[in-house]
Amino acid sequence: MTDKGVNKEPGCSLVEIDGVTHEFFAGDTSHPQSEDIYKFMSEIEEKLEATGYVPDYSGAPLVDEVNEGKKNTMRLHSERLAIAFGLLRSRPGMPIRVFKNLRVCNDCHSVTKLLSRIYNVEIIVRDRARFHHFKEGNCSCKDYW
């Protein structure tokens, strides 16, 4: 993107676990537990594929590589990292609350719905436009945002 002169605000998501706020940027590896997070992301991907999940590549229009490149870019969105960390570190029964600086893309919205069902957890995401309350595979926005 830089070579082509394209500027885009980086995706940033915050998640609070046990009173500590953790910040994630798209593709972030600076978190002290990033090795555990990325290992868990692979487990998440396996569970998603087992449910029949098919990525929606419309969330990566600026990525030149096809399919695998786009898939890798989307799986590194900041909210996915924050949610993975929340799933790893939050106490059972506690909702995961994520604050995101950009609008959630279609694919991340679908993935978060699936994760709420797979892991039986409430996930609340505040993006640039609205709140999304994910529970049992559904979202409060009824897929309109």
Side-chain angles (χ1 to χ4, degrees):
M1 284 176 40
T2 304
D3 293 344
K4 294 180 181 182
V6 176
N7 269 340
K8 182 183 175 296
E9 183 179 0
C12 174
S13 294
L14 304 171
V15 64
E16 184 180 329
I17 305 291
D18 295 329
V20 178
T21 302
H22 300 266
E23 182 177 54
F24 295 91
F25 289 93
D28 194 2
T29 57
S30 65
H31 192 277
Q33 297 177 35
S34 29
E35 187 175 322
D36 293 337
I37 294 166
Y38 280 91
K39 199 178 295 180
F40 187 60
M41 296 273 296
S42 294
E43 179 185 314
I44 288 172
E45 290 293 320
E46 288 174 16
K47 288 186 178 196
L48 288 170
E49 287 173 11
T51 67
Y53 159 73
V54 177
D56 175 358
Y57 297 123
S58 66
L62 300 176
V63 179
D64 290 336
E65 302 92 20
V66 292
N67 295 351
E68 280 306 309
K70 289 181 184 269
K71 181 179 177 183
N72 287 330
T73 297
M74 289 187 316
R75 76 183 288 262
L76 300 179
H77 282 182
S78 64
E79 65 268 39
R80 290 203 198 180
L81 296 173
I83 291 168
F85 182 71
L87 289 169
L88 273 173
R89 299 294 178 235
S90 65
R91 288 175 281 168
M94 294 298 296
I96 298 169
R97 291 181 174 85
V98 176
F99 297 89
K100 181 169 173 59
N101 67 331
L102 303 173
R103 185 173 173 264
V104 174
C105 75
N106 292 342
D107 190 63
C108 288
H109 192 270
S110 297
V111 164
T112 307
K113 286 193 316 185
L114 287 170
L115 293 178
S116 73
R117 187 180 70 216
I118 292 168
Y119 290 96
N120 192 28
V121 65
E122 288 183 53
I123 304 170
I124 301 157
V125 178
R126 172 63 170 133
D127 70 6
R128 179 176 272 179
R130 65 186 36 87
F131 280 96
H132 299 269
H133 184 192
F134 299 92
K135 185 176 180 179
E136 299 171 355
N138 297 301
C139 180
S140 59
C141 77
K142 305 221 186 296
D143 297 335
Y144 176 80
W145 75 105

